[in-house]
């Protein structure tokens, strides 16, 4: 086949231009996404079996509390004791009202010698009279009945006389006049009560019934002068003893 120059230099058909692939436009101010780090796979550790929890020591049961010895309750004062305390308070107030020289005696048994326990009378007050001297007084809170006041023979009179012999002090009984709110008092000496009182038998033993006419009515300090003339009709009962 003969080749000519025209065949050799035969023009080729024009090539189509190659269009480049579209590149995505870069977004303004876009933060590039960092590559995600791939965490290495850790081998699973063998989980040891759970050990049993240690047993809690049992709390010992406390022994029952020892019963505390009960404190014996103080016996309530009976009616006679209560009335006696009221009489003492009233006479103490009367002494203070009239500014008399007196001393109140504590009635606690522990404050007295054993000779007073059941043998001698414990008075409630000691009263100083300028001309008569010191006298002992026992307050009473009895109500007159049929014109008489009473006094226990065994518990009062005998113990009162024992007190007089031991301490050489005359003992007087002062009965509160409730009708005058404790302003009037009926006084009588233990010796005269023994002389003029009538012995009678009662449910609590023998007692003396003393008529009101034998008492001295004391309403103010001036009336205490009556004690100077408070004489005994006779000494027969006193000399004979009771």
């Amino acid at each position: 086949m003969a080749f000519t120059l025209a065949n050799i230099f035969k023009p080729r058909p024009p090539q189509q231009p190659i269009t480049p692939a579209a590149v995505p436009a870069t977004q303004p101010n876009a933060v590039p996404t960092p590559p995600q780090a791939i965490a290495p796979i850790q081998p699973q550790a063998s989980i040891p079996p759970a050990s049993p929890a240690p047993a809690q020591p049992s709390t010992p049961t406390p022994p029952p509390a020892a019963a505390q010895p009960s404190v014996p309750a103080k016996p309530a004062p009976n009616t006679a004791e209560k009335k006696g305390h009221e009489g003492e308070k009233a006479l103490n107030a009367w002494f203070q009202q009239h500014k008399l020289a007196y001393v109140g005696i504590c009635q606690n048994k522990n404050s007295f010698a054993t000779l007073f326990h059941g043998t001698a009378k414990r008075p409630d007050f000691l009263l100083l009279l300028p001309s008569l001297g010191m006298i002992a007084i026992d307050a009473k809170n009895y109500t007159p009945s049929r014109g008489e006041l009473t006094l226990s023979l065994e518990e009062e009179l005998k113990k009162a006389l024992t007190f007089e012999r031991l301490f050489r002090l005359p003992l007087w009984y002062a009965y509160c006049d409730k009708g005058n709110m404790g302003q009037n008092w009926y006084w009588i000496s233990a010796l005269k009560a023994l002389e003029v009182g009538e012995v009678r038998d009662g449910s609590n033993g023998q007692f003396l019934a003393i008529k009101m006419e034998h008492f001295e009515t004391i309403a103010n300090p001036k009336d205490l002068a009556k004690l100077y003339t408070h004489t005994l009709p006779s000494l027969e009962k006193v000399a004979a003893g009771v």
Side-chain angles (χ1 to χ4, degrees):
M1 178 179 182
F3 292 93
T4 64
L5 289 174
N7 292 334
I8 297 172
F9 294 100
K10 185 179 181 179
R12 298 177 181 179
Q15 296 180 356
Q16 295 294 330
I18 300 173
T19 302
V23 179
T26 304
Q27 296 294 331
N29 300 329
V31 179
T33 302
Q36 297 293 328
I38 301 175
I41 300 175
Q42 299 292 336
Q44 294 185 356
S46 60
I47 300 175
S51 58
Q56 296 293 333
S58 59
T59 304
T61 304
Q68 297 295 331
S70 58
V71 179
K74 295 182 179 180
N78 56 35
T79 305
E81 291 178 349
K82 184 178 180 180
K83 290 178 61 178
H85 294 328
E86 292 175 354
E88 294 171 16
K89 292 181 180 179
L91 187 56
N92 183 80
W94 191 84
F95 285 154
Q96 290 185 351
Q97 176 186 354
H98 296 289
K99 299 180 180 180
L100 298 176
Y102 75 100
V103 175
I105 299 178
C106 177
Q107 296 300 306
N108 189 342
K109 292 182 179 181
N110 295 329
S111 63
F112 288 88
T114 55
L115 63 91
F116 284 99
H117 298 172
T119 57
K121 177 66 181 176
R122 288 178 297 170
D124 297 321
F125 303 96
L126 296 178
L127 178 63
L128 177 61
L129 300 177
S131 300
L132 190 61
M134 187 79 69
I135 62 174
I137 304 171
D138 191 67
K140 293 299 178 187
N141 191 18
Y142 297 165
T143 301
S145 176
R146 298 179 181 179
E148 297 176 337
L149 284 170
T150 61
L151 198 62
S152 172
L153 183 61
E154 185 69 27
E155 293 296 323
E156 291 289 344
L157 260 301
K158 289 185 177 181
K159 293 181 180 180
L161 296 179
T162 301
F163 173 86
E164 290 190 351
R165 295 190 190 101
L166 290 172
F167 291 92
R168 302 295 191 269
L169 288 177
L171 191 146
W172 290 72
Y173 289 101
Y175 290 75
C176 180
D177 182 4
K178 298 179 182 179
N180 289 279
M181 301 299 291
Q183 293 303 310
N184 291 355
W185 293 81
Y186 303 119
W187 290 47
I188 190 170
S189 67
L191 289 177
K192 186 168 185 178
L194 178 61
E195 173 62 27
V196 301
E198 180 182 348
V199 179
R200 298 176 185 173
D201 294 326
S203 57
N204 296 323
Q206 292 184 323
F207 66 94
L208 292 179
I210 309 168
K211 295 186 179 301
M212 297 297 299
E213 60 190 44
H214 297 298
F215 289 83
E216 305 294 345
T217 303
I218 307 296
N220 55 66
K222 293 181 180 180
D223 292 335
L224 293 174
K226 299 177 181 179
L227 305 184
Y228 293 96
T229 59
H230 191 79
T231 57
L232 301 176
S234 66
L235 298 176
E236 294 179 0
K237 292 185 180 180
V238 177
V242 178

